[in-house]
Amino acid sequence: MAISYDEVEVGTELPAQSFPVTRDTLVRYAGASGDFNPIHWNEKFAREVGLPDVIAHGMFTMAEAIRVVTDWVGDPAAVVEYGVRFTRPVPVPNDGVGAVVEVSAKVAKKLEDGKVQVDLLATTGGQKVLGISRAVVRLA
């Protein structure tokens, strides 16, 4: 069912979601994206360059976050703009559990032509990992 522009108000909260990230997830994403940078799979290398552990790909984190919006609106093509600032890495320990990226979002502005601005908040371990994370979505 399509979300109606007329039924959405500023402050409308989208259903929050949690996205688990394991080392297996990172290997699969590296294969799909072609991004085999060792900071995403080699713990020794990641620590040598000053990271706390292997970290999730920034673009992976960005893609997981927008799922909150696309699941809400029901159509990925409804997202007409999306941008983030990468503010903190998502460390993914090799402990069989990994990390969890928590994402919430709300309608921040109603724009013209049936569009809304949705602001997203993505955190891991209580720390914000994406800054200025915004999407513009065209509603029905």
Side-chain angles (χ1 to χ4, degrees):
M1 184 167 109
I3 304 290
S4 168
Y5 177 83
D6 293 331
E7 294 174 7
V8 172
E9 299 297 329
V10 170
T12 298
E13 293 186 12
L14 285 60
Q17 293 188 48
S18 299
F19 302 100
V21 187
T22 64
R23 294 283 179 94
D24 181 60
T25 308
L26 299 183
V27 170
R28 291 172 189 272
Y29 183 81
S33 69
D35 182 351
F36 293 101
N37 187 322
I39 63 173
H40 303 304
W41 57 268
N42 185 318
E43 188 172 330
K44 181 179 181 290
F45 183 86
R47 291 185 189 277
E48 285 174 355
V49 299
L51 294 169
D53 208 326
V54 163
I55 62 169
H57 303 72
M59 295 302 288
F60 171 81
T61 305
M62 185 179 177
E64 290 291 80
I66 197 65
R67 287 176 56 191
V68 167
V69 177
T70 59
D71 287 355
W72 172 69
V73 75
D75 178 8
V79 177
V80 295
E81 292 179 34
Y82 178 46
V84 306
R85 178 173 296 161
F86 301 106
T87 57
R88 183 172 274 115
V90 177
V92 182
N94 193 20
D95 60 2
V97 176
V100 176
V101 177
E102 304 282 347
V103 182
S104 60
K106 68 179 177 180
V107 175
K109 293 180 186 174
K110 290 186 85 168
L111 308 170
E112 295 178 359
D113 299 328
K115 295 183 285 191
V116 296
Q117 176 185 311
V118 176
D119 290 351
L120 296 94
L121 174 64
T123 63
T124 190
Q127 303 228 335
K128 191 173 176 179
V129 296
L130 299 177
I132 310 174
S133 183
R134 292 190 177 127
V136 174
V137 183
R138 184 178 314 280
L139 301 178

